[in-house]
Amino acid sequence: MQNNATPIITLAIESSCDDTSCAILLNNKVLSNVITNQDVHTKFGGVVPELASRAHQQNIVPAVHLALQQANVTLQDVTYIGYTNGPGLMGSLLVGASFAKGMALALNKPLVEVNHMQGHYMAHFIDDARHTGIPQFPFICLTVSGGHTQIVLIKNYSDVQILGETLDDAAGEAFDKVAKILDLPYPGGPLVDKYAQQGNAKAYVFAKPKVDGYNFSFSGFKTSVLNYINKQKQSDANFVTNNLADICASAQHTIVSMLMKNLEACANEHNIKHVALAGGVAANSLLRKEFTALKQRGFTTYIPTFEYCTDNAAMIGITAYHKYIANQLGTQQASPQPRMAL
Ligand code: KG4
Ligand code: ZN
């Protein structure tokens, strides 16, 4: 282990949705980041909350054990325990929170509660050579995942302002719903991305609902895809199979252009030249391309390593680390907050 004057070892737990994850950090560096995915939801076409919490119960002990082992750290070495306390699914959050609290009590170590959405933008501050760089304050982060879509102004680690967010579906959900309409397995976002590579993004025009400010709405878009596909299928049963790449490319183009339009306009209005991407949808190849192209218009862009974009405990660990050194400790009395605001 690295020798440091005051090494802080974080044990972080993330269990807000369907990934059970445990990470060990030495100060702002990740020593291990174990992520256990839950395959149990695939056949249902979406996350089933009750199954998610049961799977967390099965996965959490092995995930923590493996994270400690990979980091070559013992429980006695751990300085404190950080965990996700919201937002997320109540049953899922309860498993991580109860585990973290029980461990803190048994080991007589402090606790730090973490907001999952703060974790997504804080992933940029993990000290990792694979990152495109650490963002400079103030910056604007577009967080796009299966559960959230937000444009956030980050003035400092904990001083943030939401400038835009979805009024209905999240961007990842929009990708997943398009995939479902096309009979692709859940989560379909990566498959839409894959098929779109061979398609013509201008083949079909889908609705881009207009909403106030820098907010988003994807439900009208999803309905327009559904209605169009259903109509075409009436005259051609093989419409989807024969036009899969073009449909995926057009749908992807619609979602990405809605995201990028608001992000750029918002950054311009606030005169911010540093922009960041976070969340699982940051894996999307078109979004990455369009986001990176902002450089040509004077922006500095930041995208974390993919491992820290999708739900993971390392991003919870880095957030907890900054809270711990600012003495923002948690309590045994805290209850998970499924609708915790940023
Ligand atoms: O951040 P994340 O792992 O979990 C949530 O907090 O939701 O994001 C998962 C979401 C899913 O909706 C998935 O379909 C989407 O990210 N996603 C993608 C791609 N990779 C993951 N969407 C579009 N293109 C991708 N390449
Ligand atoms: Zn997330």
Side-chain angles (χ1 to χ4, degrees):
M1 198 186 306
Q2 182 183 322
N3 203 1
N4 191 311
T6 51
I8 293 173
I9 300 202
T10 303
L11 186 153
I13 291 169
E14 155 63 28
S15 72
S16 65
C17 189
D18 61 339
D19 296 307
T20 321
S21 181
C22 178
I24 309 291
L25 278 74
L26 171 62
N27 298 329
N28 58 353
K29 280 194 163 63
V30 176
L31 299 182
S32 64
N33 185 30
V34 172
I35 305 169
T36 317
N37 303 117
Q38 302 181 356
D39 297 334
V40 68
H41 308 286
T42 311
K43 65 176 178 231
F44 298 100
V47 176
V48 183
E50 181 56 33
L51 294 180
S53 51
R54 284 188 211 179
H56 282 306
Q57 281 178 322
Q58 285 172 350
N59 294 343
I60 196 153
V61 172
V64 170
H65 187 74
L66 192 60
L68 286 164
Q69 204 177 47
Q70 287 182 359
N72 198 18
V73 157
T74 68
L75 278 177
Q76 306 315 318
D77 297 329
V78 169
T79 313
Y80 72 96
I81 294 138
Y83 70 99
T84 306
N85 205 31
L89 300 170
M90 186 48 141
S92 293
L93 289 167
L94 268 170
V95 177
S98 310
F99 189 91
K101 286 194 224 170
M103 189 179 243
L105 207 57
L107 299 172
N108 197 22
K109 312 249 181 201
L111 277 170
V112 172
E113 295 145 24
V114 173
N115 180 309
H116 178 88
M117 295 310 290
Q118 188 182 7
H120 272 300
Y121 74 73
M122 286 297 292
H124 288 276
F125 296 97
I126 293 171
D127 182 358
D128 191 311
R130 294 169 298 172
H131 280 340
T132 47
I134 304 262
Q136 186 180 309
F137 296 120
F139 67 97
I140 284 184
C141 185
L142 172 68
T143 305
V144 269
S145 72
H148 302 275
T149 302
Q150 286 182 337
I151 296 179
V152 188
L153 171 62
I154 295 140
K155 298 174 206 165
N156 210 319
Y157 294 119
S158 55
D159 184 2
V160 301
Q161 189 185 347
I162 297 173
L163 302 176
E165 61 190 331
T166 183
L167 305 178
D168 40 56
D169 296 346
E173 210 176 343
F175 271 105
D176 295 339
K177 284 181 175 171
V178 167
K180 199 170 182 179
I181 294 167
L182 304 176
D183 282 329
L184 299 174
Y186 175 85
L191 290 171
V192 173
D193 187 357
K194 184 180 148 202
Y195 292 117
Q197 316 273 341
Q198 317 297 329
N200 171 9
K202 300 216 165 106
Y204 308 105
V205 177
F206 299 121
K208 284 190 200 173
K210 286 199 171 51
V211 283
D212 285 347
Y214 300 114
N215 290 326
F216 302 95
S217 167
F218 293 104
S219 75
F221 155 77
K222 173 202 67 188
T223 309
S224 90
V225 176
L226 181 66
N227 289 345
Y228 184 76
I229 301 292
N230 282 343
K231 201 171 156 211
Q232 296 306 312
K233 275 174 145 174
Q234 283 170 7
S235 51
D236 175 6
N238 296 323
F239 178 76
V240 168
T241 320
N242 292 341
N243 300 284
L244 189 60
D246 284 352
I247 303 166
C248 288
S250 303
Q252 174 175 272
H253 165 76
T254 313
I255 298 171
V256 170
S257 63
M258 284 193 266
L259 294 172
M260 288 305 302
K261 184 170 170 261
N262 277 9
L263 174 64
E264 187 167 3
C266 183
N268 282 335
E269 187 194 315
H270 288 82
N271 204 20
I272 305 273
K273 284 289 171 199
H274 292 258
V275 286
L277 206 54
V281 183
N284 183 265
S285 53
L286 181 67
L287 181 60
R288 291 174 90 94
K289 191 172 149 215
E290 302 264 312
F291 180 79
T292 309
L294 287 173
K295 283 185 191 167
Q296 291 150 21
R297 302 198 282 286
F299 289 91
T300 307
T301 60
Y302 307 91
I303 309 180
T305 298
F306 183 60
E307 179 187 348
Y308 305 139
C309 282
T310 52
D311 287 352
N312 69 89
M315 71 183 196
I316 302 306
I318 190 71
T319 315
Y321 170 71
H322 282 279
K323 290 184 83 169
Y324 182 81
I325 56 180
N327 209 22
Q328 294 168 10
L329 301 183
T331 67
Q332 284 286 339
Q333 285 71 37
S335 312
Q337 295 173 45
R339 294 180 177 275
M340 185 188 273
L342 188 59

